[in-house]
């Protein structure tokens, strides 16, 4: 672990600072001051500049029905128009918008003009099926050009999409369709993942058979060519109907508050919530974060590895990059097929300049590179990279250092972006040409975002003291509602404990006592109390991951008669899973290591070894399940978003 305060920063190079959209810390501070001085002016000015409005707005923020805030409410716009038509009008029609790489390595490029045509035809096909403004459309597609096209087509006609990740079961799909009350489902015959063709339509059929009364038709995209049963009168091949459509589709101008999409959260902490997003405020933050955080430039090749089934894929694949006229990668496959060098090879082949991925992927690729030298990133030419990003979970300092050194060649800043499905875009993040970096810290709030760390009463705590992460003012891209459940919205995000005045993120955080930098310490229910000492799970996990043998770790508490709570660690080693005497030996070694790194109080009482940890389908560790395992209980919670149920058996005490 790094020690001296004088050495803790990684500074951007002079060249990075010089060329960045936000150039230097003074520029960052000026933006923060601008927003502090005139909050609505700050957002209003950017909304005018960055979005093409069909009807300009006259009011920036309407707080009259708080916490149901409205932004730019009397303005009208269309997101698809802002992503596609305006790029073509600016002369970018022949610029490549999407570089698609399939699981097997097949490549297709789509220009902005092509994309506009494809979206318009698809939008007309939706209309031909009777889909109207405000209707919900569920999209259950793999990572594909059609996935982006379908989302943009919904936006074009004012239909509200809700994407369900292609890895979800029939039951999860049916639950989401019914919660959203969707009229149409878009799916495909199948999907290619890791060298296998997996079914999709048959799962969708099972979901619909279980009872989805609101669905009237199903559009089926061809991908794998698998034999597919079609239900007469309900199912239609997308390519056949799209071929008959006109390639002109006038955008539907919608109010800024019109729901662009619903998206269900990962379910890391409980039952997934249908997060409702707006049109205008959401688009503004998507564009602004592309500019400030990713410093997007015309020549960049941008690659966000998230699936369109997650919010990251919405904001940083389907909307943000296209609204900025960027060229981006859309990848169908997985990071480990045909081998764990896939990401690095793709960066080399497509000369990717900005790469945005998740800590879970980094940790698994570190493990792979350590075990198999042939897939080590040093085997690839990664010199096209200029900026790296991380999202989804806290990134352990050890993984950060590896990413910085091995992928970024020591020269690329890493933007560790903290945000949530509910926030629509980045909330706390470095800006690459401004913020000196500290591994493991998401650093400082995005300009215009008023994040703070408070105690149980909502009072701000001093820097250096852990607490609850909140946002003090509403912001344009924030969640508008939990679909159909306004009460749960208020209770979850604007709880009475804070007089309904603070947005509760659900995460714990601590600000560095010298710099004020934020570090996320884990979910609020993940704070441990051992003999009266309060500790974030994240700190112990990072200490474990800093040990040379450890690939991944998750820490939870379990009730203990003596200490109130006892620490239980679940650990994945880089090598094979140890058993018997070997396990006992490593257990001792790791206990002593944590004792040395943090202090004896942080020593895990129990350590269990697995080949993996229970994760959501977006790759996040599901600590709530581990808490039950730590107590020796059977799992009784919602596991609909669990990726690898089999792993639970390995981790029982
Ligand atoms: P649910 O709300 O259903 O429990 P979830 O919170 O995992 O699911 P997401 O909205 O996908 O669903 O994830 C947001 C959460 O991910 C944040 O609240 C935070 O815990 C974590 N997170 C995301 N990015 C970062 C980051 N850069 N650093 C630390 N934590 C992060
Ligand atoms: Mg959450």
């Amino acid at each position: 672990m790094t020690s001296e305060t004088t050495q803790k920063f990684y500074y951007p190079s002079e060249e990075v600072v010089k060329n960045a959209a936000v150039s230097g810390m003074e520029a960052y501070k000026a933006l923060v001051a601008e927003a502090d001085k005139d909050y609505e002016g700050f957002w209003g000015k950017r909304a005018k500049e960055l979005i093409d409005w069909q009807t300009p707005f006259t009011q920036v923020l309407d707080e009259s029905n708080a916490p149901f805030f409205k932004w730019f409410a009397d303005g009208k716009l269309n997101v698809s128009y802002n992503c596609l038509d305006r790029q073509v009008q600016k002369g970018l029609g022949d610029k490549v918008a999407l570089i698609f790489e399939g699981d097997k390595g097949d490549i297709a490029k789509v220009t902005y003009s092509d994309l506009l045509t494809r979206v318009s035809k698809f939008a007309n096909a939706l209309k031909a099926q009777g889909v109207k403004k405000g209707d919900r459309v569920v999209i259950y597609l793999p990572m594909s050009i059609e996935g982006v096209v379908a989302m943009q087509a919904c936006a074009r006609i004012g239909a509200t999409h809700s994407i369900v990740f292609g890895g979800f079961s029939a039951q999860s799909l049916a639950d989401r369709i019914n919660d959203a009350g969707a009229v149409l489902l878009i799916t495909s015959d199948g999907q290619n993942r890791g060298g296998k063709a997996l079914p999709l339509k048959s799962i969708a059929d099972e979901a619909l058979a279980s009872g989805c009364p609101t669905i009237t038709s199903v559009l089926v995209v061809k991908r794998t060519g698998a034999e597919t049963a079609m239900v007469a009168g309900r199912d239609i091949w997308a390519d056949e109907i799209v071929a008959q459509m006109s390639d002109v589709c006038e955008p539907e101008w919608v109010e800024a508050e019109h729901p662009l999409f619903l998206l269900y959260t990962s379910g890391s902490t409980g039952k997934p919530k249908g997060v409702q997003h707006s049109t205008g405020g959401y688009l503004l933050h998507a564009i602004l974060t592309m500019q400030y955080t990713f410093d997007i430039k015309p020549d960049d090749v941008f690659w966000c590895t998230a699936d369109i089934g997650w919010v990251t894929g919405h904001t940083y694949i389907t909307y943000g990059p296209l609204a900025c006229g960027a060229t981006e990668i859309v990848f169908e496959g997985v990071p480990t097929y045909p081998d764990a060098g896939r990401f690095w090879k793709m960066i080399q082949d497509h000369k990717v300049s900005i790469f945005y991925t998740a800590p879970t992927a980094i940790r698994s690729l570190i493990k792979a590179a350590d075990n198999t030298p042939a897939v080590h990133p040093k085997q690839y030419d990664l010199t096209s990279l200029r900026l790296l990003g991380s999202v989804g979970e806290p990134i352990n300092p050890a993984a950060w250092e590896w990413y910085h050194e091995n992928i970024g060649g020591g020269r690329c800043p890493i933007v560790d972006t903290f945000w949530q499905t509910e926030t629509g875009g980045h909330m706390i993040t470095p800006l690459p040409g401004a913020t000196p970096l500290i591994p493991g810290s998401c650093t400082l709030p995005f300009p215009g975002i008023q994040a703070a760390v408070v105690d149980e009463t909502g009072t701000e705590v001093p820097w250096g003291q852990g607490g609850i992460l909140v946002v003090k003012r509403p912001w344009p891209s924030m969640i508008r509602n939990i679909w159909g459940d306004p009460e749960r919205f208020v209770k979850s995000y604007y709880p009475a404990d804070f007089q309904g005045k603070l947005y509760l993120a659900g995460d714990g955080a601590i600000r560095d006592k010298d710099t004020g930098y934020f570090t996320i310490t884990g979910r609020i229910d993940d704070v441990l109390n051992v003999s009266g000492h309060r500790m974030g799970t994240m700190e112990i996990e990072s200490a474990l991951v800093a040990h040379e043998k450890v690939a991944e770790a998750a820490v939870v508490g379990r009730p203990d008669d003596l200490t109130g709570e006892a620490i239980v660690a679940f650990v994945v080693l880089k090598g094979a899973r140890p058993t018997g005497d070997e396990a006992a030996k490593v257990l001792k070694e790791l206990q002593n290591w944590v004792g040395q790194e943090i202090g004896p109080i942080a020593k895990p009482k129990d350590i269990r070894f697995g080949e993996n940890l229970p994760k959501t389908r977006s790759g996040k560790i599901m600590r709530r399940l581990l808490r039950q395992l730590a107590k020796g209980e059977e799992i009784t919670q919602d596991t609909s978003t669990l990726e690898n149920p089999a792993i639970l058996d390995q981790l029982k005490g």
Side-chain angles (χ1 to χ4, degrees):
M1 302 228 136
T2 41
S3 47
E4 308 308 30
T5 23
T6 47
Q7 289 180 350
K8 70 181 174 187
F9 292 117
Y10 286 75
Y11 290 94
S13 71
E14 253 173 57
E15 201 193 326
V16 169
V17 176
K18 194 175 78 206
N19 297 318
V22 180
S23 176
M25 251 341 234
E26 290 313 310
Y28 166 76
K29 286 183 189 153
L31 290 171
V32 173
E34 183 191 338
D36 279 349
K37 197 163 149 236
D38 177 10
Y39 193 68
E40 292 187 31
F42 175 90
W43 289 112
K45 173 170 182 267
R46 286 164 178 79
K48 277 198 191 103
E49 282 169 9
L50 299 175
I51 292 175
D52 284 6
W53 296 87
Q54 191 256 355
T55 307
F57 58 89
T58 59
Q59 186 185 12
V60 174
L61 172 61
D62 175 357
E63 301 187 76
S64 59
N65 189 26
F68 298 90
F69 301 102
K70 291 182 178 162
W71 286 86
F72 319 119
D74 59 350
K76 282 191 166 183
L77 73 160
N78 183 281
V79 166
S80 162
Y81 176 88
N82 274 274
C83 292
L84 305 174
D85 307 59
R86 74 164 168 175
Q87 312 305 358
V88 174
Q89 283 159 22
K90 273 194 237 163
L92 297 178
D94 292 334
K95 181 172 177 175
V96 173
L98 308 179
I99 304 173
F100 172 78
E101 183 164 320
D103 188 54
K104 301 191 181 90
D106 46 311
I107 290 168
K109 293 185 180 178
V110 185
T111 66
Y112 274 94
S113 313
D114 295 341
L115 193 56
L116 175 57
T117 304
R118 290 175 71 156
V119 168
S120 300
K121 287 171 94 84
F122 206 105
N124 284 329
L126 291 175
K127 284 208 253 183
Q129 290 310 302
V131 180
K132 299 180 306 295
K133 177 186 171 194
D135 286 345
R136 274 82 58 211
V137 170
V138 166
I139 300 177
Y140 183 58
L141 283 175
M143 279 298 285
S144 53
I145 297 169
E146 285 77 11
V148 176
V149 167
M151 292 166 84
Q152 287 277 350
C154 287
R156 195 160 189 90
I157 64 169
T160 299
H161 59 65
S162 183
I163 319 291
V164 177
F165 173 59
F168 277 136
S169 65
Q171 187 60 53
S172 306
L173 175 61
D175 289 347
R176 287 162 175 72
I177 289 173
N178 289 328
D179 192 77
V183 298
L184 184 134
L185 173 68
I186 305 172
T187 187
S188 71
D189 53 356
Q191 59 177 328
N192 300 310
R193 267 178 95 76
K196 294 189 212 83
L198 306 173
L200 214 54
K201 171 68 164 60
S202 57
I203 301 172
D205 285 340
E206 199 187 321
L208 297 181
S210 76
C212 295
T214 51
I215 293 284
T216 53
S217 48
V218 179
L219 288 187
V220 186
V221 170
K222 281 200 184 105
R223 176 57 186 155
T224 57
E227 187 84 31
T228 303
M230 299 289 275
V231 176
R234 186 195 76 184
D235 301 352
I236 303 155
W237 286 108
D239 58 345
E240 287 173 14
I241 177 168
V242 164
Q244 298 162 24
M245 295 293 136
S246 152
D247 56 9
V248 177
C249 175
E250 282 307 314
E252 176 84 32
W253 305 108
V254 301
E255 308 73 36
E257 282 296 316
H258 181 72
L260 178 65
F261 65 87
L262 312 180
L263 182 62
Y264 292 81
T265 56
S266 316
S268 309
T269 55
K271 189 170 166 284
K273 309 170 269 282
V275 172
Q276 177 184 327
H277 274 288
S278 72
T279 296
Y282 172 79
L283 179 65
L284 171 60
H285 206 52
I287 298 174
L288 198 62
T289 50
M290 283 303 299
Q291 294 188 344
Y292 289 0
T293 313
F294 290 127
D295 189 35
I296 192 80
K297 297 282 193 303
D299 295 338
D300 277 316
V301 177
F302 180 82
W303 185 14
C304 164
T305 68
D307 192 282
I308 48 167
W310 313 123
V311 73
T312 308
H314 284 58
T315 310
Y316 301 109
I317 294 177
T318 302
Y319 295 117
L322 298 177
C324 293
T327 296
E328 64 172 325
I329 309 277
V330 175
F331 177 44
E332 178 183 43
V334 297
T336 46
Y337 177 80
D339 59 39
R342 183 70 183 265
F343 276 1
W344 322 137
K345 181 169 186 312
M346 284 181 60
I347 292 172
Q348 170 180 286
D349 290 352
H350 300 294
K351 301 200 166 36
V352 172
S353 57
I354 305 176
F355 180 66
Y356 189 37
T357 196
T360 182
I362 298 167
R363 288 189 302 255
S364 75
L365 294 173
I366 294 174
K367 181 175 170 179
D370 276 6
N371 291 339
T372 318
V375 298
H376 196 281
K378 66 176 177 241
Q379 311 291 346
Y380 302 86
D381 178 3
L382 304 179
T383 52
S384 56
L385 288 169
R386 69 178 186 89
L387 179 58
L388 302 175
S390 170
V391 60
E393 288 184 292
I395 178 165
N396 320 97
W400 192 103
E401 306 263 4
W402 186 92
Y403 191 34
H404 188 256
E405 191 53 39
N406 291 279
I407 308 306
R411 83 186 167 275
C412 303
I414 298 176
V415 288
D416 174 3
T417 59
F418 168 83
W419 61 296
Q420 311 176 292
T421 307
E422 295 89 340
T423 70
H426 303 152
M427 298 299 280
I428 308 181
T429 176
L431 304 185
T435 322
L437 305 173
I438 299 179
S441 167
C442 50
T443 75
L444 295 169
F446 190 85
I449 301 297
Q450 300 192 351
V453 181
V454 300
D455 64 15
E456 286 76 7
T457 66
T459 312
E460 248 178 276
V461 299
W463 291 3
Q465 193 176 313
I468 301 164
L469 181 66
V470 296
V471 186
K472 295 193 282 188
R473 295 280 281 140
W475 67 100
S477 66
M478 68 188 297
I479 174 175
R480 294 307 197 264
N481 202 351
I482 291 178
W483 184 253
D485 200 348
E487 257 170 61
R488 189 174 175 205
F489 167 80
V490 176
K491 249 172 74 187
S492 308
Y493 304 112
Y494 282 92
D497 313 0
F498 302 150
Q499 293 77 47
K501 296 257 183 276
L502 300 173
Y503 169 84
L504 176 72
D507 290 291
I510 184 167
R511 303 189 67 167
D512 182 87
K513 67 180 183 346
D514 303 322
T515 56
Y517 277 19
F518 289 74
T519 292
I520 305 299
T521 49
R523 311 301 178 118
I524 25 189
D525 27 332
D526 284 343
V527 176
L528 304 176
N529 191 334
V530 184
S531 308
H533 296 266
R534 288 168 68 79
M535 273 176 281
T537 48
M538 188 56 203
E539 192 182 358
I540 307 169
E541 289 165 10
S542 283
L544 285 165
V545 173
H547 188 281
E548 56 180 8
K549 287 188 184 150
V550 176
E552 274 203 289
V555 165
V556 299
R558 116 177 135 214
D560 186 280
D561 290 343
L562 208 61
T563 52
E565 237 178 341
I567 299 169
V568 182
F570 296 84
V571 168
V572 181
L573 296 186
K574 284 178 182 162
R577 172 177 180 238
T579 49
D581 286 352
E582 177 61 16
K585 210 180 111 214
V586 186
L587 185 145
K588 265 261 142 337
E589 192 179 332
L590 293 179
Q591 281 176 326
N592 291 336
W593 169 263
V594 175
Q596 260 171 40
E597 290 285 299
I598 306 177
I601 192 82
K603 273 192 191 179
K605 188 156 186 182
D606 183 7
I607 300 184
R608 301 186 194 166
F609 297 97
E611 278 152 22
N612 200 343
L613 298 170
K615 288 184 187 152
T616 64
R617 287 165 195 274
S618 52
K620 292 170 197 250
I621 301 166
M622 286 175 97
R623 288 181 186 72
R624 63 183 166 95
L625 302 184
L626 293 174
R627 271 198 293 275
Q628 254 191 322
L629 289 181
K631 282 192 232 159
E633 294 173 359
E634 287 302 315
I635 301 289
T636 52
Q637 306 176 40
D638 180 289
T639 50
S640 60
T641 65
L642 176 63
E643 160 98 351
N644 48 354
I647 212 71
L648 296 175
D649 275 340
Q650 278 188 6
L651 299 171
K652 282 186 182 151

